[in-house]
Amino acid sequence: MSLPSSQRYRSQGRREGVDDAVLNNALAAMRRIRAVDPRITPVLTLRHLSHLIDVPFLHLREIVARRARRPYKFFYLKKRIPGRSRMRMISAPNATLLKIQRWIVENILQYTTAHEASYAFHPGSRPFDAAQEHCGCEWLLKIDLEDFFHSISEGRIAAVFAHLGFSKLLSFELARLVTVGCERPGTRTDPAIRWPAIPYYQSKHEGMVPQGAPTSPMLSNLVMFKTDEILARLADAHGMKYTRYADDLAFSCGPGKNEIHVRRFMRLVLDQLNHAGFRPNHRKTAIRGPGSRRIVLGMLVDSDRPRLTREYKDMIRLHLHYLTSPSYGPALHALARKTSVSGIFHHVRGLIAWSQIVEPDFGAGALTRFEGVDWPPVQPDPYDEEANDT
């Protein structure tokens, strides 16, 4: 979206009877947003946003006020290693809200920058590169953040949008469009004094970042930017390397340090995280030293290059054994795994694709065996009229 010259914008506004003070404020807001990044689409008000994304203004206002009907569908997944809760709440936005959030990603958030220690949720980031940073380490400290997305409040998201140049009110409204307002353990009541001039916007609970919205990953990186900066400086001061992949934090050091040093450093990190409002999952916090396996994001980092774990390789070998077995094959293997042939095809192919990145030689051999599997022909969907016509 090209920003018109101030002269043309003011001239057009005057022809339409807009007051000079309003025009000057609008131009100042546009310049403030473009100063952060000229690619960000300037948005002045909620009504302006409704025009840009072609969603009725009153419906946007209902969402902001937490009065829209079923903006999210909720479902729960069991956590592999539970923290304070055993279930993970997934919030899937409805079609309209998904359209709004995708517009925010494509026109605002994609032009923001994460801290260099973050290796997730931005273009070009890969878990392999995060693991590479810790290769050859002698000591490894791993810390996992509990309920990462849900610990980020709408107030912190509003601060992110304000930092990008948007007005205070619009930043709050944008924050409401990308958060979910529902009761959960630890949720703070939204005080009535926050927006006394807009009673319609009052809500019983302060919103949180939903896991399942397209905006949540990039917003979490922006909220974590200052904390990443502090942890990176802290790590550097203590001879450690720091990387973060979403809620998975890793610190490492080479020879010359001992367990006492790493434990003291861990307490400093935990203090910083608690001060920033994040809760570490102590069940997934671990120190690994000489003689133990040092794993970052599922990859061994005890040599000069990330390696696949033995368990990962064995899992691929097991799949390939059953898929290539004359007495078993894809159909029976899929049945045993309670999935479809198509499902097992994509699952195993995905495992092999990752192995090709981490250990190319192993991945190439696995792919050769996979391509030799006698896959049954894909059956047309009886309800797909276009496919049946062909």
Side-chain angles (χ1 to χ4, degrees):
M1 182 182 194
S2 59
L3 181 63
S5 68
S6 58
Q7 294 91 344
R8 288 184 58 192
Y9 188 89
R10 188 176 287 107
S11 176
Q12 179 66 26
R14 284 171 175 168
R15 284 199 297 271
E16 296 181 9
V18 181
D19 186 82
D20 272 355
V22 175
L23 293 173
N24 290 336
N25 287 337
L27 284 167
M30 288 181 180
R31 287 192 292 267
R32 189 171 59 245
I33 294 168
R34 291 297 181 134
V36 176
D37 192 300
R39 297 169 296 177
I40 294 177
T41 300
V43 183
L44 305 179
T45 64
L46 191 67
R47 190 177 293 278
H48 184 202
L49 179 65
S50 74
H51 172 74
L52 292 173
I53 61 179
D54 194 26
V55 173
F57 168 71
L58 291 180
H59 184 55
L60 279 183
R61 204 160 183 262
E62 281 186 336
I63 297 174
V64 171
R66 308 289 193 206
R67 303 189 185 199
R69 188 172 181 271
R70 296 181 180 177
Y72 291 92
K73 180 179 180 181
F74 302 102
F75 56 97
Y76 296 84
L77 300 176
K78 189 174 181 180
K79 293 182 179 179
R80 187 174 61 88
I81 301 179
R84 297 189 183 187
S85 61
R86 294 184 174 273
M87 305 299 290
R88 187 185 311 279
M89 185 177 79
I90 307 298
S91 311
N94 65 23
T96 301
L97 188 54
L98 183 62
K99 173 186 175 180
I100 296 167
Q101 292 175 347
R102 281 178 174 167
W103 188 94
I104 292 172
V105 169
E106 294 166 3
N107 294 274
I108 299 175
L109 297 180
Q110 72 163 322
Y111 302 120
T112 60
T113 304
H115 191 273
E116 62 180 9
S118 172
Y119 286 82
F121 310 142
H122 57 89
S125 60
R126 298 189 307 168
F128 178 86
D129 296 329
Q132 180 75 61
E133 289 294 309
H134 301 283
C135 280
C137 66
E138 190 162 309
W139 289 93
L140 177 66
L141 166 64
K142 296 171 63 179
I143 298 175
D144 181 84
L145 301 180
E146 186 174 341
D147 294 329
F148 179 49
F149 287 148
H150 293 171
S151 64
I152 301 174
S153 68
E154 71 182 43
R156 300 180 80 169
I157 298 301
V160 166
F161 285 114
H163 183 72
L164 295 176
F166 297 95
S167 69
K168 184 179 179 182
L169 175 57
L170 182 60
S171 295
F172 166 77
E173 292 169 329
L174 289 171
R176 280 284 181 90
L177 293 173
V178 297
T179 56
V180 56
C182 62
E183 187 173 1
R184 64 180 175 86
T187 302
R188 294 179 295 176
T189 301
D190 190 7
I193 61 173
R194 289 184 67 198
W195 293 99
I198 312 178
Y200 189 71
Y201 281 175
Q202 296 303 317
S203 178
K204 185 177 180 181
H205 300 286
E206 184 177 22
M208 60 186 181
V209 169
Q211 185 165 355
T215 47
S216 297
M218 288 184 177
L219 284 171
S220 69
N221 272 343
L222 297 177
V223 169
M224 278 292 292
F225 193 97
K226 186 64 177 177
T227 302
D228 285 335
E229 201 171 50
I230 293 171
L231 294 179
R233 287 201 303 264
L234 186 66
D236 187 61
H238 290 78
M240 309 283 285
K241 290 183 178 180
Y242 165 58
T243 64
R244 179 178 63 83
Y245 190 87
D247 57 356
D248 197 325
L249 284 62
F251 303 85
S252 67
C253 61
K257 309 295 183 184
N258 55 33
E259 186 175 356
I260 295 175
H261 174 87
V262 178
R263 288 195 177 277
R264 286 175 178 169
F265 175 75
M266 179 182 71
R267 287 194 288 271
L268 296 175
V269 172
L270 294 179
D271 285 344
Q272 289 293 341
L273 291 173
N274 286 323
H275 181 72
F278 296 102
R279 294 188 309 228
N281 185 344
H282 294 291
R283 293 188 181 188
K284 297 176 72 173
T285 298
I287 294 176
R288 296 287 182 262
S292 60
R293 293 204 309 171
R294 296 178 288 288
I295 299 176
V296 174
L297 302 175
M299 290 166 277
L300 291 164
V301 294
D302 50 7
S303 61
D304 61 350
R305 177 184 169 86
R307 296 183 296 117
L308 298 170
T309 63
R310 182 181 61 189
E311 294 85 353
Y312 193 93
K313 290 181 177 180
D314 286 345
M315 180 167 51
I316 292 178
R317 293 187 184 109
L318 182 67
H319 280 300
L320 292 175
H321 168 76
Y322 285 114
L323 289 172
T324 57
S325 171
S327 59
Y328 216 71
L332 288 178
H333 186 48
L335 183 63
R337 295 279 172 162
K338 297 181 180 180
T339 185
S340 64
V341 172
S342 175
I344 203 69
F345 176 94
H346 291 292
H347 174 66
V348 178
R349 185 64 185 88
L351 294 175
I352 294 173
W354 178 243
S355 73
Q356 289 178 281
I357 295 173
V358 183
E359 292 192 30
D361 291 342
F362 175 84
L367 181 60
T368 299
R369 291 190 62 192
F370 180 82
E371 290 175 340
V373 173
D374 185 17
W375 295 100
V378 178
Q379 297 298 320
D381 186 342
Y383 298 100
D384 188 343
E385 296 180 0
E386 183 177 345
N388 290 331
D389 289 342
T390 57

